[in-house]
Amino acid sequence: MEKEFAKIGSYQYTSEAIIIKGKLESEGIEVFMADNFTIDTDPLVSNAIGGVKLYVRSEDIDKATAVLSEISRYSVDDKGQAVVCPKCNSDKVDVGTTVKEKKSLFAFLFGFLVAGGMPVYTKYTYRCSNCNNEFEIK
């Protein structure tokens, strides 16, 4: 028996999955989400259960894959241009958080120990996937 649905991706948070779902639906592809309510209830279990999963009908998998391939997985600036690493000029740059300064470390510990795991301060930086250079967001 042929599978009726095919998984096209999994995302750590529901908000990420909703953005991708909206893009696919704007292209006329019907999308189904799984485990989004569980993760909305307790985001800490996301990695344990494999994140929020997106499914499409099996006959739409090729079209959905083509739409997803058009979306850049790397960071872009406010003008939509790829962020470039100042060290190696690669455009394979991701945005992430860092805890390298005292303020970030204390905020992380306070959020984890006192605020029930909720971040009270987060510092974001870019990290190059090519050379692992970490640099400030300008």
Side-chain angles (χ1 to χ4, degrees):
M1 189 165 113
E2 189 175 335
K3 291 170 60 176
E4 189 174 340
F5 301 101
K7 184 170 101 172
I8 57 158
S10 57
Y11 303 89
Q12 186 169 4
Y13 300 110
T14 302
S15 56
E16 297 170 308
I18 288 172
I19 292 169
I20 300 300
K21 180 179 186 262
K23 173 64 176 166
L24 292 169
E25 287 178 339
S26 74
E27 299 288 333
I29 301 169
E30 194 171 7
V31 183
F32 306 91
M33 290 175 44
D35 295 329
N36 53 312
F37 296 120
T38 303
I39 292 171
D40 287 346
T41 303
D42 186 1
L44 298 177
V45 301
S46 183
N47 288 336
I49 65 173
V52 178
K53 294 143 197 92
L54 290 184
Y55 294 90
V56 297
R57 296 194 184 279
S58 294
E59 61 265 13
D60 292 335
I61 190 72
D62 292 333
K63 185 177 177 184
T65 303
V67 169
L68 291 178
S69 69
E70 295 173 1
I71 300 171
S72 174
R73 91 178 256 300
Y74 295 106
S75 297
V76 294
D77 62 14
D78 292 337
K79 297 177 183 173
Q81 302 298 317
V83 174
V84 178
C85 174
K87 186 175 179 181
C88 71
N89 292 324
S90 172
D91 62 355
K92 292 179 171 61
V93 175
D94 289 313
V95 69
T97 60
T98 184
V99 185
K100 288 188 175 181
E101 60 185 30
K102 287 182 184 180
K103 183 178 180 182
S104 295
L105 176 62
F106 287 127
F108 171 76
L109 292 174
F110 177 80
F112 185 72
L113 298 173
V114 179
M118 300 303 290
V120 293
Y121 168 79
T122 305
K123 180 172 179 155
Y124 293 96
T125 60
Y126 287 118
R127 181 173 291 117
C128 178
S129 297
N130 189 40
C131 70
N132 288 325
N133 179 35
E134 192 171 289
F135 56 99
E136 296 291 318
I137 296 174
K138 295 176 185 171

